[in-house]
Amino acid sequence: MAEPAKRVAQRAEERLEKVAETVRERFDRVTDGRFSDKVRDGRFADQTDHGVDRARDDERRRKQGGST
C-alpha cells in the first residue's frame, strides 16, 4: 500500500508544480503591462478632457442644493 500512495503523492506534486508554473507565467503576463505604465506611455492621451463635464455636474448640484 505504501508504494501506490507514494506514486499518487508524486503525481500530485508534479501537477501542483505545473499549476504553480502556469500561475507564475500568467501573473508575469498580467503585470507586464500595468495600468500606470499605459498611462505613462500616453495610452489615454487621445481621450477628451472631462473637466467641462465635471464643472457642469458641479453647477447642477449647486442649483439643486447639493454640495460640491
Side-chain angles (χ1 to χ4, degrees):
M1 287 283 276
E3 287 301 313
K6 286 181 181 179
R7 280 191 296 239
V8 169
Q10 182 64 31
R11 281 192 225 129
E13 186 177 344
E14 289 169 0
R15 283 191 221 131
L16 284 174
E17 286 175 4
K18 288 180 183 178
V19 168
E21 183 178 336
T22 302
V23 169
R24 273 188 231 106
E25 289 172 1
R26 289 183 182 182
F27 180 79
D28 289 343
R29 212 177 323 146
V30 168
T31 58
D32 185 47
R34 295 193 313 185
F35 182 75
S36 59
D37 295 336
K38 292 177 183 178
V39 171
R40 277 188 230 122
D41 291 341
R43 167 143 185 199
F44 304 104
D46 61 336
Q47 293 185 356
T48 59
D49 182 23
H50 296 287
V52 173
D53 295 334
R54 215 172 280 134
R56 286 183 189 148
D57 290 341
D58 291 345
E59 185 63 28
R60 188 177 310 122
R61 273 190 231 111
R62 272 190 230 113
K63 287 181 180 176
Q64 293 176 352
S67 62
T68 56

